[in-house]
Every structure is written in structure tokens, then in C-alpha cells.
Amino acid sequence: MAKVVVVGAGFAGHYAALILADALKGKGNHEITVISRVPKFTYIPSLVWVGVGQMAAEDVQFDLKPVYDKVGINFVHGAVTEVHPDDKYVVVEKPDGGTQQVNYDYIIMATGPYLNFEGTPGLGPDKGYTQSICTPPHATKAASAYLELVSRMEKGEKVKIVIGTGHGAATCQGAAFEYISNVHNDLVDRGLRDRAEILWLSNEPALGDFGIDGLEMKYGGQIFTSEDMVQFLFEKYGIKWQIRSHVKQVDESKIYTIDLDGNENEIEYDFAMLIPQFKAQPIKWIDKDGNDITDKICNPAGFVKVDAVYGKPYAELDGPDWPRTYQNPTYKNVFAAGIAFAPPGPLSKPQQAPDGSPIAPAPPRTGYTAELSGKAAALNIVDMIEGREPSHTASMAETPGLCVASLKHHLLSGEAVTIAIYPVARNRAAYPEYGRDLDNCVAEIGLAGAWFKWFLHHAFLYKLQAKPGWKLIP
Amino acid sequence: MATKRDMMEKMWRYRKNLFVQLFRFIVLGLHFNKLVKKVH
């Protein structure tokens, strides 16, 4: 009998647990336990609609325990604070303040990110002045602040809105891009757009970079870039932009930035939604002698090292350097998936401002990519339980990125950018010219995307609740 | 030959045309399916 523990219940962790339960069903008395800080699964891609008050937080979440009871998975509500890889147990801090030890034979770390608002003074909805759409409570709070702003605009006030990234090393530019577009379209529908000046503020080296070094696609014999498309869209929407920027500080009326050329700027705002830097959850790794070996197991940001090639400079990094099995090289029974695995480097070119501030978008490892890494880790554990070497791979340099960026949520008048890239991480060993197979790269704006976004919302929430036929949905 | 700007303007013009979008939904759906099958 094997004990498998999954830490985290987002796209990577929750899907990994379902895959494990399915793959090990009827193959012995194996025990699967999920440990999560939050007792609910959140379909994060729809939080953008919660943030503009068009959807309730409950509509993007479901309780994990009933799903796990149904498929025979144990659930522990709490935050893992320590991993003891030699003695094979984790320490869980429970919501009531108590602690619990959970033993394992195999473990998947899929903790998701720690939202490092502290990395930018004045950032964030709890101790700062800006909004966030990274969690259901944050998105709900952002909606309240946004609707309050709308009521001020209805009284005739002109306002300044800033949306984007709140740190030079932030990621998830795509979520902020969706939010700024939905805010624009919501204000258009309310007849208030002329009362708002909207600014896109981002750490991207170019518009449309999205932390993945942008994308190219072929149309009519020409090569289009995501930069062409986002610039076109922002011009249509009347959205201004300031990119290549790090946010140094925020106070109640201004955002202080520095860009790659050293230009410092003070941006006045009435409403700001800025994505923070993502760091790893604060988890200590302790060896059998009680020594803290976190530095050995994790990278400096705290993400768990897996089977990637680490230490190469950006210019030399290529597809084969990206992890395939998600297995830790030191402890072979440890896997990491989703945001929790340490990437070999960034996808976008890392740079810094003259004062040393990093302006280097971190690589996104969310959504479909997270799910694929979770699935690979789960199936590799099944391989090991059954006496085989890990054989399942899901390298970001060999798998597609599928993304639908909502611009407006409506089944008849909505619009979205439908994006498909193959592979996510440029792989010049396989595709020398662009690092990607341009015949498989697509990005287009239209109502069809809004239908996709709506369909994916319902399909994923159905699949991840393990409802009848869930395995048929990829 | 149409410029990139012309082509994007065309995409913009048809972005809410129900017939065009229904067609694009099918085409893009098949494309997504093709890419998903590469990994599953």
C-alpha cells in the first residue's frame, strides 16, 4: 500500500489527485491525501468576471471535500509548513492553530504561489492601496471598489484607472490584460467610457509579451506578433500603455515606477489593479538531522527543483532544458507541479533598470500547463508504485499553451482573444527559426472566443468535480 | 497584398458577425482539439 500526498488543490494539485485516484482504483489499498490551505477549488480564469461584478465568487468555486469523498481521497484542511523528505512526512498547520503530521511515500508539491504584495510597498488590497483579482476575496473586493468608482463616474467625475503588474518580476500579465479589457467594455456598456483614462502598466519588454516572450502567427502569408495585435486592440479601446516598468512603491494617490531606461514616473490613479510578484509558499525542508535543506531542494524563490537543467544564462536556455517528468533530482519520491516547480529560467528576456530593479516577467505555469504537469507527476508516481521508472512527460517545450483571454463577457456581444501556441516554451532545437511551430500558433479576436471562454468555464468546473464522464474532457 | 493593419481591421469588422464567428468557433475548436491530442 502506498501513501500519496498532494499539497495544494489548484489546477495542478486537484487534477493530479483525481488522476491518481482514477489510475490507482482497484489496484490495491493505496491512500491519497490532499492538503490544502483553502477548502474550495477556484476556477481562477473566471475571477476576471468576479472582479468587474459580473459573476459571484461562489460561481467559480466548489467545495473539495464532497468531491474527494466521492472518489476516495482524504482531505486535510491546512497549510503545510514543513516537509521532512528523509522521514517522509509533512507538518500541517490547521486553521484552529493545531498541527498535524501526515506521512507519505510519494508527494506532489502543487502549492500555487504566495502573493508577494510585501515586495512592493503600498501594493495590495489588505495592507496597501491597490486591488487584486488573484483570489476570490480579492476579486470580490476589487468588484466593490470598481463599482464604487462607477457610481462616482455616474455623478460626473472623471477618473484614472491603472491596471497591470505591480512588480518588475510579476507574472500573469494575461489576467491583468483580461481585466483591463473587461473594465473598458463594461464602462462602454454603461456609457461612462469617456469619463475614464485607462492605463496599461506592465513589466513586459513589449506589448503582448504576456511573460511567454510573446507569440507569432501566420496569416495570409504574413507573420503577425502578439505585439501587433495588442497594440491594435489598445488603440481601438483607447487604452494607453507604459511597459518595461517596475513599480517601486504605491501610495494612496500615486504609483511610483522606474523603467528599463531609468526614467522614473509618478502615475496618479483613482483605481488600480496590479498583479503582485509570485513567490513560493513559505515551506521549510528539513533533513533527518534537523537541518534546513530548503536551499538544496528549492531555487532562491522557494520553488521546488525538478528535472530541469538549471543555471544556464537566458541566451542559452532552450526547450530540452525544461522539465519533463517533474521529479525532484534529490528525492525521487518528490514531485512538483504547476507554479510550485522551479522553472529553469524565464521565457521573456530578463532585464533590469539602472538602479538594479528587476524588470523580468516570470514564466506563467498556470491553467492548462499546470494541469498537464500535475497529470504527468501523478502518472509518474503510479509508474513508481508499479515498479517502473517515471515515463510520463509534459515539458512546456513540448506541450501547447491554450488560452482564451476574455475581453467582454456576453454570449451575443462578447469578445475574447483565442490563443493557441505550440509549444509554450520556445524550443529552437525542434523549431530553429522561431522556437515554435507557427503552423500551430493562433491568436484572433472575436465572439467565438467569448463562447470558448464560457464553454471552458463550465466544462472545467464539471470535469474537476469528477461528475459522470469527467475523464472524457481533456 | 493586404497589409497587416488591413487584415486586423478585417478581423475587427467581423469579430461579432454571428455566421463568421460560428465558423471560427468550429475551426478554432478543431485546432484546439488537434493540439490537445498531441499531449493526451
Side-chain angles (χ1 to χ4, degrees):
Chain A
M1 186 193 94
K3 288 182 179 175
V4 187
V5 164
V6 180
V7 184
F11 272 102
H14 177 64
Y15 192 52
L18 293 182
I19 292 289
L20 278 164
D22 182 56
L24 294 174
K25 198 174 171 182
K27 291 185 178 175
N29 193 23
H30 303 298
E31 195 178 295
I32 302 160
T33 303
V34 172
I35 304 169
S36 173
R37 287 174 290 118
V38 184
K40 292 171 183 281
F41 174 85
T42 301
Y43 184 70
I44 288 174
S46 294
L47 283 178
V48 59
W49 298 330
V50 177
V52 283
Q54 294 176 358
M55 189 174 271
E58 305 86 68
D59 295 334
V60 301
Q61 292 187 295
F62 60 80
D63 288 324
L64 291 165
K65 183 116 185 10
V67 178
Y68 292 156
D69 286 346
K70 186 168 62 180
V71 296
I73 295 172
N74 303 318
F75 178 63
V76 176
H77 181 195
V80 169
T81 55
E82 291 176 7
V83 183
H84 294 252
D86 292 319
D87 300 317
K88 297 184 196 169
Y89 74 88
V90 296
V91 176
V92 184
E93 198 173 282
K94 307 275 286 178
D96 62 6
T99 57
Q100 181 181 344
Q101 181 177 316
V102 180
N103 299 319
Y104 68 83
D105 296 307
Y106 302 92
I107 190 168
I108 299 176
M109 302 299 289
T111 50
Y114 172 77
L115 305 174
N116 187 33
F117 290 109
E118 300 85 358
T120 308
L123 193 75
D126 299 324
K127 295 177 187 167
Y129 306 97
T130 61
Q131 302 300 325
S132 150
I133 54 165
C134 296
T135 68
H138 285 177
T140 304
K141 200 169 174 182
S144 299
Y146 169 68
L147 294 174
E148 200 179 299
L149 184 84
V150 165
S151 65
R152 280 165 52 191
M153 293 166 75
E154 283 169 343
K155 289 173 190 155
E157 195 176 331
K158 294 207 168 188
V159 300
K160 290 180 179 175
I161 296 172
V162 182
I163 293 170
T165 53
H167 190 279
T171 186
C172 271
Q173 292 81 3
F177 170 73
E178 288 187 270
Y179 192 62
I180 199 169
S181 303
N182 273 271
V183 164
H184 158 81
N185 279 308
D186 186 63
L187 292 176
V188 169
D189 288 349
R190 291 174 188 272
L192 297 171
R193 182 61 183 87
D194 58 338
R195 291 181 193 165
E197 200 175 286
I198 305 182
L199 176 74
W200 171 251
L201 173 63
S202 149
N203 59 348
E204 296 164 294
L207 275 180
D209 180 273
F210 295 134
I212 57 165
D213 194 25
L215 63 125
E216 299 85 16
M217 62 223 114
K218 278 183 195 166
Y219 276 117
Q222 301 195 58
I223 304 294
F224 286 72
T225 65
S226 48
E227 184 177 12
D228 294 331
M229 187 168 281
V230 173
Q231 183 171 336
F232 174 81
L233 189 74
F234 279 1
E235 284 171 5
K236 289 287 181 191
Y237 283 177
I239 292 173
K240 294 176 182 169
W241 60 87
Q242 178 186 321
I243 54 173
R244 298 150 47 93
S245 296
H246 167 67
V247 175
K248 294 174 74 172
Q249 190 183 341
V250 182
D251 66 24
E252 58 191 341
S253 60
K254 286 181 184 167
I255 299 164
Y256 300 85
T257 66
I258 184 165
D259 70 13
L260 281 172
D261 300 320
N263 301 311
E264 301 208 18
N265 196 8
E266 295 179 8
I267 305 165
E268 291 184 351
Y269 73 98
D270 296 284
F271 174 92
M273 196 296 291
L274 299 173
I275 304 280
Q277 179 192 24
F278 287 1
K279 289 181 87 171
Q281 290 289 338
I283 296 174
K284 280 186 180 173
W285 292 71
I286 313 285
D287 74 4
K288 60 181 183 302
D289 300 319
N291 300 312
D292 187 335
I293 54 165
T294 310
D295 290 350
K296 188 179 164 193
I297 305 300
C298 302
N299 74 0
F303 298 116
V304 181
K305 288 180 189 169
V306 288
D307 61 321
V309 178
Y310 296 105
K312 280 192 176 179
Y314 176 76
E316 292 174 22
L317 198 64
D318 199 8
D321 303 320
W322 283 81
R324 304 183 84 229
T325 64
Y326 298 94
Q327 184 179 37
N328 179 263
T330 310
Y331 293 96
K332 301 290 185 187
N333 60 338
V334 172
F335 290 77
I339 295 268
F341 84 79
L347 296 171
S348 299
K349 190 179 177 186
Q351 299 174 89
Q352 62 178 32
D355 71 349
S357 301
I359 302 181
R365 311 180 290 289
T366 50
Y368 187 57
T369 296
E371 210 182 75
L372 291 176
S373 61
K375 183 179 179 181
L379 293 175
N380 285 330
I381 286 175
V382 174
D383 277 342
M384 292 175 77
I385 289 172
E386 295 178 346
R388 299 185 297 271
E389 282 295 306
S391 65
H392 294 84
T393 63
S395 164
M396 284 173 66
E398 295 167 1
T399 53
L402 304 174
C403 172
V404 184
S406 169
L407 307 175
K408 181 183 175 182
H409 177 41
H410 196 278
L411 284 177
L412 288 177
S413 64
E415 55 195 37
V417 189
T418 306
I419 299 168
I421 51 171
Y422 185 83
V424 179
R426 291 190 192 272
N427 188 343
R428 293 188 192 278
Y431 306 102
E433 195 174 1
Y434 291 97
R436 295 200 181 109
D437 176 3
L438 262 50
D439 291 332
N440 277 313
C441 294
V442 174
E444 67 177 61
I445 301 167
L447 177 60
W451 295 337
F452 273 122
K453 186 87 179 176
W454 179 89
F455 174 77
L456 291 174
H457 169 97
H458 292 283
F460 270 81
L461 285 173
Y462 183 92
K463 173 175 96 166
L464 295 172
Q465 289 179 79
K467 290 188 174 176
W470 69 273
K471 283 178 278 182
L472 299 172
I473 303 171
Chain B
M1 191 177 183
T3 64
K4 284 204 271 189
R5 182 84 194 182
D6 292 339
M7 292 172 76
M8 286 194 286
E9 288 288 356
K10 191 176 169 190
M11 176 179 69
W12 188 253
R13 213 163 41 243
Y14 288 108
R15 77 192 190 285
K16 291 189 183 178
N17 181 298
L18 280 175
F19 296 106
V20 171
Q21 292 304 314
L22 190 60
F23 174 71
R24 295 309 301 165
F25 184 76
I26 295 165
V27 170
L28 290 167
L30 290 171
H31 186 66
F32 266 38
N33 189 48
K34 184 178 99 178
L35 289 178
V36 164
K37 278 189 174 164
K38 278 178 180 274
V39 288
H40 285 280

